[in-house]
Structures are given as C-alpha cells and as structure tokens.
Amino acid sequence: MLRRHWTCPLALVFLLTLLTPLPPFAAAAAPATTSQTTASRAAAADTTSTVPLPSLSATTTQVAYGLRRPTALAAPDDGTGRLFITEKPGTVRVYHPDTGLARAPLIDITPAIDESGNERGLLGIALPPDFAESQDVYLAYTALPDGAVTLARYRLDESRLEVLLAQEHAEYSNHNGGQLAFGPDGHLYWSIGDGGGSADPLRAGQRLDTLLGKVLRIDVGRTCGALAYCVPADNPFVGTAGARPEIWLYGLRNPWRFSFDSADGSMWIGDVGQGRWEEVDHLAPGQGGANLGWSCYEGLERFEGGTCPPGQEYTKPVFTYSPYTGGCSVIGGHVYRGSEYADLVGGTYIATDYCSSTVWALRPDGRGGYEQAEIGEMPTQVTSIGTTAEGEFYVVNDLPGGLHRVSFEREEPTCRVDRAVRSWGTGTTVDLTVTNTGSTAVTGWTLEFPLALGQTVVSDWNTDLTQGSNTITATNAPYNATIPPGASITLGYVASHTGDASAPPRFMLNGDACAVGR
C-alpha cells in the first residue's frame, strides 16, 4: 500500500471490528437519463475555474464508519448512485448516500488475499465502461501464498474470480502499487511498485524485463493465444527485445494512485518517494514509453546510488514536495470534473498526503508551468481519492476506516506575499512583503514556503529563518511580531543556487494559504 509504517494502539484495531455498520444498501431505482443531465455533465467537464488557488478551501464530511482498512473507491455509471469500496482484507463494500454502508460485502475474496505486512492486501478496483451490462469488476491485490501482485476479473453474476495477470513480488512486502483505471482508449491501466525494499534493490525501475516499477496497459476485452488479455499493438515496447510488451510507462517507485482527466485524457500520477521527495507527474494523452526517472532520480534530484542507464531521456515531475512539510506518502487524486463545484475547482487536480493530510491543488498556468497551493486538510491517513459517476469527490481513510465526502468553497486569503528577486551568478536576493489582508491583527507569525531545488539560504533579515531540505520556516522577530489589518512587514534572505533562482511559488502564514503577488 504505502511506503511508511505507523504505530497504532492495539485497542483501536479491535475497536474497528466492533463498530456498527449503517443500514444495508437497498437497490435504488435508476433515474432516467435525460439530455439535460448529459448536457450538464458535458458543461462541467469543459469548465476550467479561474478562481485563484489560494482562494479555495477543501473540507470533508464523514458519511460512513466501520470500514476495515479501505484502500480504493470506484463508482458504477449505472444510475444507482453507488460507490464500491475495497477493504484491505479482501472485501468490496457498497455505499449509497440514501441508505449508507451495506452490512454484507458485494465481493469477498479473502481466501485469495495475502494481507501480511502493512502494504499487502486488496489494493485497487476498476469498473469497465460496459459494467452495467457485463457486471465485471477488475481487482488488483497481493495473492496467497507468496504475495504476487495480481490482476483479476470478478464476475458479479457468477461470483467467480478469474486471474488475468500476476507479477512475482516475494522479496519484500512493500511497494505493490495497485491502482487500476480504464483509460479514455478503453484499455485497462495498472500500476505496480518497484518490488519494495529501500533504494530499488532489484533495480526494477529502469528495467524493461520486469513489470515492477511500471504502469501497464492491456486490453481485457479480448484474449490472445495463451494470454487472458491482449497487448495493444501500439504499446511502446511491443517488439522490443527483452522487454515486457504490457509496459506503458517505467521509472516509477510506488505509483500508488493515478487517474485520467476525463476532459482531455491526460494522466496524473502520484509516485511515492524514497524519503526526500514526493512527486506528481502529468502526462499528455498517448505518452506511452515515458521514463519517469526512478531510481536515477527522486523527484527532480539525482538519487545517490540509483540506476542511471546511459542515453536515457527522463520525464520530469510537474510538482514535488519534501517530507519536511510533514508528509510521507503522496496520495494521487483526480482532476475535478463534477458540476457542483465546477465554478471553483473545475480543471483543478486535487491530491493529498497520507501523513500530513495536506490538500494540494494544482492547475496548469497556461505558460508551461503549474499553479499550486495548499487548500485545506483531509482526514488522517487518507488512502484514496475517488469520484462518483458524476465527478464529485469522496475519500477513504485507513485507521479508523471511514468514507468522507469532499466539499469546496471560496475563502479569500487573509494574507498576500509580494516578491522581489535579484539574481547574480550563483546567488539570489529575495525580499518578501507580507500584507495582512484580513480584518484582525496577526500577532506572532510563521511564514512557510518552499525553495527551488538547489537553493540554500546563506543569510536572512527581519526574521528567524530555518531551512529543512527545500522547506523554509520563517518566524517573526520581536519588533515585527504584530501585523495590523492592511499593514505589511518585510523580510528577506540571500540564497546560493545551482541554476534555478526562481522565487518561492506559494506561502502559508500561520497555516493559511496566502495570495501571491508579483
């Protein structure tokens, strides 16, 4: 499942088995599909919000309790309004907003599941475009007896499990990946981690003869020879000697969650880092064959002791953050394409972190870069972000297992930071003007912001500044601790750099996102 382990009172584990589920799901009549509904969905999908990211606020409301270590969500587009939720031990539960969490599981494959260790178990679920007719469910899990990462099809009408593809994963119990999703091309994509351990001991990330450390792309609607699936002819490594033809992307460490933007077909991946960088990748439609860098790179930084084959071209992440922010494992999410909050977050990618619970918002800025902001907090230990058939957001969290609906609102920032940058050679001077745009005085402040890779603070003024990796924490001096409404204070620093002298892209004042000026 995830990279980090945690401690938890044993009593909490027992408590999970005692929680009373909500009433069972009662099948709801499928609402009539109307041209108005279809038009509404299409309009929402085309909406890209212009609301500045620091003006957004994400909140959650818990709607179900008593899940046993939930790992993933999927929504059938069959008019029933249901959500399917996987639980690590090997069950799939059904939630409906009108009737709650059903007591009896929809699917139970616990006899097939190896859930030894923290990261093994039932990890992913995907529903094909023809689910309403086929009643097929695709599942990713670690299988008994040896933890092989496994893709299977479960036929609901027959209660039958068919194994389609498996990859040995016996050496280590971590880094199993496990995301499943049907792409805009109708093919099934599956992520598998690098085989586990630390620092890619199997050297799997850069190898093409193994499915470890990859995203795969296969056609599960057909069979080809002895295979229970077909390899699409346009997969990038079809015909490459020694390469597994199922590979779509490589150079990944533990791509726990990825998704496709329903508007443009692009792919977003949250790849869990080794310990210095968490990363998000964004790939254009059809960008098969891309090498995402692991273990030559972790994020944007060369990974010491990694594997760097000669002549490789690496695709850089579009967003990285350091665990010094309190994070430990990025939880990749989705681009919002629902209708309820389209005017606020339409076209915005939302992700979080398993440890810090920070809600990250990313949006292409139209100039080749990405706007970024922290816009709230998720519940503790979120393992997956999912969407309804209409594109609205839900999340599940690990311990204590719950389901939460995600809401967004506009909340204007109470601070603004203007930046003045002067660079020379290998140095840069940055002056920051922090303005209190709220209605109450700020008394005692802490300003947090990231530096570009390769920047190191040499000196600072009007603040007590500390640097952890690329993360800066600047606190007030005795003489500028209070910022009245409408007033400003200035602070600054000199930093050395290795080529990137850019200004910080985002700021948090006492935990609140600030608008970013010039």
Side-chain angles (χ1 to χ4, degrees):
M1 200 160 45
L2 304 174
R3 169 164 55 81
R4 297 291 175 85
H5 296 265
W6 62 89
T7 58
C8 173
L10 189 59
L12 177 58
V13 179
F14 288 119
L15 178 61
L16 296 180
T17 66
L18 300 176
L19 292 174
T20 302
L22 294 176
F25 167 72
T33 301
T34 64
S35 58
Q36 183 179 15
T37 301
T38 303
S40 175
R41 283 199 199 182
D46 290 339
T47 299
T48 297
S49 172
T50 58
V51 175
L53 295 186
S55 298
L56 299 176
S57 176
T59 57
T60 60
T61 303
Q62 187 158 4
V63 296
Y65 303 79
L67 289 160
R68 297 176 60 203
R69 302 202 65 185
T71 53
L73 306 94
D77 193 5
D78 60 359
T80 62
R82 296 178 292 173
L83 283 176
F84 295 169
I85 305 167
T86 58
E87 296 179 306
K88 185 177 181 286
T91 49
V92 178
R93 305 284 294 279
V94 177
Y95 168 81
H96 190 277
D98 293 338
T99 55
L101 186 66
R103 293 177 182 271
L106 176 72
I107 296 171
D108 187 344
I109 60 168
T110 52
I113 300 296
D114 180 351
E115 61 162 330
S116 62
N118 181 47
E119 299 189 19
R120 286 175 171 163
L122 177 54
L123 306 176
I125 183 171
L127 306 175
D130 69 346
F131 170 78
E133 295 77 33
S134 71
Q135 295 295 291
D136 290 339
V137 178
Y138 291 85
L139 302 171
Y141 57 91
T142 53
L144 290 171
D146 57 1
V149 286
T150 302
L151 169 67
R153 175 168 48 222
Y154 188 91
R155 298 190 179 275
L156 282 176
D157 54 354
E158 303 174 13
S159 299
R160 180 162 58 91
L161 188 69
E162 303 175 59
V163 172
L164 305 181
L165 177 59
Q167 165 65 49
E168 291 184 3
H169 198 297
E171 290 89 347
Y172 304 95
S173 66
N174 58 342
H175 300 183
N176 300 282
Q179 177 68 25
L180 291 174
F182 281 89
D185 53 13
H187 295 317
L188 182 62
Y189 292 72
W190 177 27
S191 65
I192 302 178
D194 66 4
S198 177
D200 195 13
L202 305 178
R203 297 293 183 254
Q206 293 297 309
R207 290 167 47 194
L208 295 177
D209 62 345
T210 176
L211 301 182
L212 298 173
K214 312 295 189 296
V215 171
L216 315 184
R217 175 183 184 248
I218 60 175
D219 181 353
V220 294
R222 301 182 296 132
T223 61
C224 286
L227 298 177
Y229 57 90
C230 290
V231 174
D234 59 347
N235 269 14
F237 300 108
V238 169
T240 300
R244 291 292 300 264
E246 298 93 343
I247 296 172
W248 180 248
L249 303 170
Y250 68 113
L252 293 139
R253 184 176 181 273
N254 191 24
W256 169 243
R257 293 290 170 244
F258 67 80
S259 64
F260 293 96
D261 183 350
S262 60
D264 64 11
S266 64
M267 187 179 195
W268 294 77
I269 305 171
D271 195 12
V272 178
Q274 171 72 31
R276 287 181 57 82
W277 300 102
E278 303 296 309
E279 73 175 65
V280 171
D281 305 288
H282 185 201
L283 302 172
Q287 199 175 337
N291 183 345
L292 299 180
W294 177 254
S295 62
C296 185
Y297 284 86
E298 182 188 8
L300 295 166
E301 186 176 41
R302 285 290 288 262
F303 182 72
E304 185 175 352
T307 300
C308 298
Q312 291 292 309
E313 181 177 337
Y314 301 102
T315 298
K316 296 179 180 179
V318 300
F319 176 68
T320 63
Y321 66 93
S322 164
Y324 279 88
T325 61
C328 68
S329 295
V330 62
I331 305 297
H334 294 261
V335 175
Y336 182 87
R337 296 295 179 187
S339 59
E340 186 172 357
Y341 305 106
D343 58 333
L344 293 177
V345 289
T348 304
Y349 178 75
I350 302 296
T352 187
D353 184 276
Y354 181 79
C355 291
S356 72
S357 303
T358 300
V359 181
W360 299 104
L362 304 176
R363 185 190 295 156
D365 63 9
R367 303 183 300 275
Y370 292 77
E371 300 175 61
Q372 52 185 265
E374 302 175 41
I375 64 168
E377 287 191 358
M378 292 290 186
T380 183
Q381 297 179 341
V382 162
T383 54
S384 191
I385 301 172
T387 69
T388 66
E390 295 75 29
E392 305 305 328
F393 280 22
Y394 282 79
V395 300
V396 287
N397 65 326
D398 193 2
L399 293 170
L403 175 70
H404 310 255
R405 186 177 62 249
V406 182
S407 304
F408 299 94
E409 61 183 357
R410 185 160 187 164
E411 186 176 283
E412 294 304 332
T414 57
C415 51
R416 187 185 73 248
V417 179
D418 294 296
R419 306 162 297 173
V421 180
R422 301 181 300 279
S423 299
W424 71 95
T426 59
T428 184
T429 299
V430 179
D431 288 289
L432 303 175
T433 301
V434 181
T435 301
N436 179 357
T437 57
S439 58
T440 60
V442 174
T443 303
W445 51 264
T446 298
L447 186 71
E448 297 175 302
F449 54 92
L451 297 183
L453 185 68
Q455 291 188 11
T456 302
V457 172
V458 176
S459 62
D460 57 85
W461 51 92
N462 293 342
T463 182
D464 181 8
L465 186 149
T466 57
Q467 179 171 358
S469 184
N470 78 320
T471 303
I472 295 297
T473 301
T475 57
N476 61 268
Y479 52 84
N480 63 6
T482 298
I483 314 175
S488 302
I489 56 96
T490 61
L491 64 140
Y493 58 90
V494 173
S496 62
H497 65 83
T498 57
D500 187 346
S502 59
R506 64 181 186 273
F507 299 88
M508 299 285 287
L509 183 67
N510 291 352
D512 294 327
C514 296
V516 181
R518 61 181 184 275

